[in-house]
Amino acid sequence: MYAGDIMTVNVNLTGLPALVLPCGFVDSSSAALPVGIQMIGAAFEVEKLFKVGHIFEQTLQGCSFIPPIVADELAC
């Protein structure tokens, strides 16, 4: 947990707006691990950050964010 927190706490300390969105999976030995993208906006530019996040989500609209190991179980 500490390793994950150390990547996001700096933004909280600066007061900048940030948004984390899922963007895919990284293959591992037996299961794929989820990956997210963190977007950091300029001070007081929350609306612009939301617009960029929305465009990113629309771009990935056809992508599946169900882990492959779970998708295989659902297909059976």
Side-chain angles (χ1 to χ4, degrees):
M1 292 299 292
Y2 174 77
D5 289 344
I6 199 165
M7 298 297 183
T8 59
V9 73
N10 297 328
V11 176
N12 292 334
L13 293 175
T14 62
L16 296 174
L19 185 64
V20 179
L21 298 170
C23 64
F25 296 94
V26 172
D27 288 332
S28 182
S29 57
S30 63
L33 299 174
V35 177
I37 184 169
Q38 182 178 28
M39 300 176 185
I40 303 170
F44 307 109
E45 295 287 345
V46 177
E47 186 176 329
K48 190 181 293 184
L49 184 63
F50 284 157
K51 287 180 181 178
V52 171
H54 178 72
I55 292 168
F56 182 79
E57 283 185 331
Q58 295 302 311
T59 303
L60 296 179
Q61 192 171 21
C63 297
S64 173
F65 292 108
I66 300 173
I69 194 166
V70 174
D72 291 343
E73 291 176 8
L74 293 175
C76 296

